[in-house]
Amino acid sequence: DNLMKDLPKPFKEQMQNALNDYKSFEAALQLGTPTSIRYNSQKSIVKQQSLEPVSWSSNGFYLAERPVFTLDPLFHAGAYYVQEASSMFVGEALRQLVSGNRPLRALDLCAAPGGKSTLLSSVLPKGSFLLCNEVIKSRVSVLQQNMYKWGNPNVAISNHDSRDFKGLKNFFDVILVDAPCSGEGLFRKDKKAIAEWSADNVALCSARQRRILEEAIPLLKDGGLFLYSTCTYNAKENENQAAFLTSFYDLEALDLDIPNDWNIEKRSIGFQFYPHRVKGEGFYLACFRKKMGESSLRPSIMRVTNFSMKKLPKKQVPLVEPYLEYPKLFQYFIKANQQIVAIPHHLVDVCMQVDQQLQRKGFGIELGQFKREQFIPSHQLALSTAISKSLPSLELTKEQALRYLKKETFEIKDASQGWTLAQYEGLNLGWLKVLKNRMNNYFPKEWRIRMSL
């Protein structure tokens, strides 16, 4: 009942006006939040049996209770992402609205911590390019960590304000703006959100959303798909923004085919999730298509020839190729800090164009670097779905896996010396190096588990 006392009076009034079943909404806010995960279809996982599926996500499932994810090695291996069920609906929207299997260029403009980016990278047509951007510098590392664990090589990550994208006009086929919002839909999940809520803050969020939208729309190609989402309920941040998009831009609002028993409410534009009607939090999504104009005949950006990374010297290419399952699909580059990067051939041109426009970004898979004559493989490579399946590996018990993730060393029997992948249930956790009478643990120290086991 505590939560009800904390709810701001204007918020209660707003919801009473919006809902004829307000009492049920209030009751739902007092219940615990459902826990849901989405499996990574790019990694071969034995799924838990008998889990209740999320209706609008083929890989989404509810857990009966919330486990300590930190102590599950599969979580660190990128086998699944812990994602709020309502927001998985973005994947269903994309499934309905993207026809054909032509690779697309997609932008997730407000991407951290990475739930919707991992989702996009799973549902976009094969070979698509996904740029995940986050403006707040302190949140970029968690975005990187989640995208590395997901392991898709066709992803780039950037750290920019939406106004910095001006040079990429008509560049993307799909843009998702999961806008920073007042967070009304997260009240039962995050008590801090209640304390921060005010009518002024809603107005502030709505102004910021408007600016981001104005800067995002020009980046969309004609015929492109624009998705706008928030985790809030009020019209200022939801339908009013959607109405603004159709009034001032060449955007047509799109409908989706939604079974009645999903209990998702259709709004004048877009779809609203309520915690008393669905098994999930408050969420809003609106979908638009950009109409075809004359500009659709012009290529968006001229071909670029210079790149901030140099090509890897030919003689070194054969030294890194054995680390990838299909090395001929990649081009190899070397960064100023000597990290070697593999980018899929068909995406090099796209990466070069993005590279020209944005300063703070990373592309492809970091493979590692040469120190003197020796190659030190990177953690991102260990988690990538592109890694070679024939590299030496060591299957760990759960206890060993957790000790590995705490960056401890432990005794291992009969392992051949050299670089070895630490695995749990067949999934890579990272690198270790087996020496004559000991092992070195190469798990990144900033990622290590700090909990006691």
Side-chain angles (χ1 to χ4, degrees):
D1 190 43
N2 197 359
L3 185 65
M4 294 297 92
K5 288 206 285 286
D6 295 341
L7 286 183
K9 193 160 172 262
F11 172 74
K12 280 185 172 172
E13 286 166 0
Q14 164 196 308
M15 297 312 292
Q16 280 161 340
N17 293 334
L19 294 169
N20 50 16
D21 52 356
Y22 175 76
K23 278 279 170 269
S24 313
F25 170 74
E26 221 174 41
L29 288 193
Q30 329 228 24
L31 301 171
T33 351
T35 300
S36 42
I37 62 170
R38 187 171 38 77
Y39 282 109
N40 186 345
S41 54
Q42 270 95 44
K43 297 199 171 181
S44 46
I45 310 130
V46 181
K47 293 183 183 175
Q48 281 185 44
Q49 287 308 302
S50 74
L51 292 181
E52 180 192 343
V54 174
S55 306
W56 45 85
S57 171
S58 59
N59 283 307
F61 295 88
Y62 296 100
L63 302 183
E65 54 192 4
R66 191 178 180 89
V68 181
F69 290 112
T70 307
L71 299 182
D72 180 8
L74 292 175
F75 171 70
H76 299 271
Y80 59 86
Y81 190 94
V82 184
Q83 187 176 27
E84 198 286 297
S86 302
S87 64
M88 295 181 194
F89 186 62
V90 168
E92 173 62 17
L94 215 66
R95 195 187 66 73
Q96 291 192 31
L97 299 173
V98 169
S99 54
N101 46 15
R102 176 178 72 84
L104 302 174
R105 298 176 186 178
L107 169 65
D108 184 354
L109 192 55
C110 316
K116 296 183 186 69
S117 289
T118 56
L119 179 55
L120 289 173
S121 94
S122 292
V123 296
L124 284 163
K126 207 173 148 66
S128 294
F129 170 77
L130 173 63
L131 177 57
C132 317
N133 178 72
E134 173 54 43
V135 63
I136 300 166
K137 191 166 193 272
S138 60
R139 299 183 67 195
V140 176
S141 58
V142 78
L143 173 63
Q144 277 173 327
Q145 189 172 348
N146 285 323
M147 298 317 292
Y148 289 177
K149 287 198 300 200
W150 210 246
N152 188 331
N154 300 359
V155 166
I157 295 171
S158 61
N159 166 216
H160 278 272
D161 187 277
S162 50
R163 65 168 73 90
D164 301 336
F165 283 77
K166 288 195 277 292
L168 294 167
K169 264 178 98 151
N170 309 325
F171 190 75
F172 295 99
D173 301 285
V174 177
I175 295 177
L176 167 65
V177 172
D178 180 40
C181 70
S182 61
E184 296 169 350
L186 303 177
F187 279 1
R188 68 175 173 180
K189 198 172 155 185
D190 178 9
K191 306 291 180 276
K192 270 207 322 273
I194 299 177
E196 287 164 8
W197 189 92
S198 68
D200 286 350
N201 191 34
V202 168
L204 196 74
C205 288
S206 142
R208 186 183 342 153
Q209 291 155 358
R210 183 71 47 103
R211 171 179 84 83
I212 294 170
L213 290 171
E214 287 171 345
E215 285 159 354
I217 296 298
L219 312 176
L220 189 65
K221 283 183 190 172
D222 287 5
L225 185 62
F226 193 82
L227 306 175
Y228 173 72
S229 65
T230 69
C231 46
T232 200
Y233 307 113
N234 69 77
K236 272 202 178 94
E237 298 180 77
N238 294 348
E239 297 97 304
N240 296 9
Q241 302 292 32
F244 158 77
L245 288 175
T246 52
S247 313
F248 290 91
Y249 293 96
D250 265 350
L251 292 176
E252 167 198 8
L254 302 172
D255 200 9
L256 294 170
D257 186 19
I258 297 176
N260 289 338
D261 62 2
W262 287 6
N263 295 319
I264 299 166
E265 182 174 307
K266 286 196 178 187
R267 288 289 176 79
S268 53
I269 302 180
F271 308 89
Q272 183 73 54
F273 288 65
Y274 289 107
H276 61 301
R277 296 185 191 161
V278 306
K279 197 168 174 181
E281 301 309 298
F283 181 69
Y284 171 82
L285 175 71
C287 313
F288 307 87
R289 178 130 6 240
K290 192 172 186 182
K291 297 172 187 164
M292 300 303 265
E294 291 127 58
S295 69
S296 53
L297 307 174
R298 288 203 305 274
S300 51
I301 286 186
M302 298 338 281
R303 211 184 145 74
V304 181
T305 48
N306 48 342
F307 200 16
S308 63
M309 297 190 283
K310 292 187 166 57
K311 277 197 169 167
L312 185 66
K314 271 208 170 82
K315 66 174 193 297
Q316 288 187 318
V317 172
L319 303 177
V320 298
E321 284 188 329
Y323 286 91
L324 296 177
E325 187 70 7
Y326 300 107
K328 299 294 180 232
L329 297 181
F330 294 86
Q331 254 189 58
Y332 301 92
F333 298 89
I334 187 158
K335 298 204 290 198
N337 66 0
Q338 299 307 299
Q339 272 290 340
I340 295 164
V341 175
I343 298 176
H345 278 293
H346 72 288
L347 297 181
V348 171
D349 204 36
V350 178
C351 291
M352 286 170 83
Q353 295 179 49
V354 170
D355 184 56
Q356 287 262 290
Q357 305 299 329
L358 302 177
Q359 277 176 306
R360 296 178 299 283
K361 75 274 147 167
F363 305 110
I365 317 162
E366 278 199 352
L367 299 180
Q369 60 191 123
F370 286 100
K371 287 207 169 146
R372 293 185 284 280
E373 291 304 289
Q374 206 202 13
F375 184 67
I376 317 279
S378 81
H379 190 61
Q380 188 186 353
L381 169 66
L383 297 175
S384 173
T385 54
I387 192 169
S388 164
K389 294 179 180 61
S390 52
L391 294 167
S393 63
L394 192 65
E395 181 66 28
L396 304 181
T397 64
K398 187 166 185 181
E399 190 209 350
Q400 287 175 325
L402 289 171
R403 288 188 60 189
Y404 173 79
L405 295 163
K406 280 181 78 71
K407 205 169 164 62
E408 294 173 2
T409 57
F410 43 87
E411 188 114 349
I412 40 186
K413 301 252 191 300
D414 317 323
S416 47
Q417 289 183 34
W419 289 103
T420 302
L421 286 159
Q423 288 188 341
Y424 179 72
E425 292 192 7
L427 293 183
N428 296 339
L429 297 172
W431 296 100
L432 45 85
K433 194 170 189 194
V434 182
L435 304 165
K436 215 190 212 110
N437 41 16
R438 61 190 173 92
M439 57 91 95
N440 286 347
N441 184 335
Y442 278 81
F443 193 71
K445 65 173 183 294
E446 63 279 13
W447 289 27
R448 74 182 189 279
I449 297 179
R450 292 183 170 80
M451 274 175 100
S452 58
L453 301 181

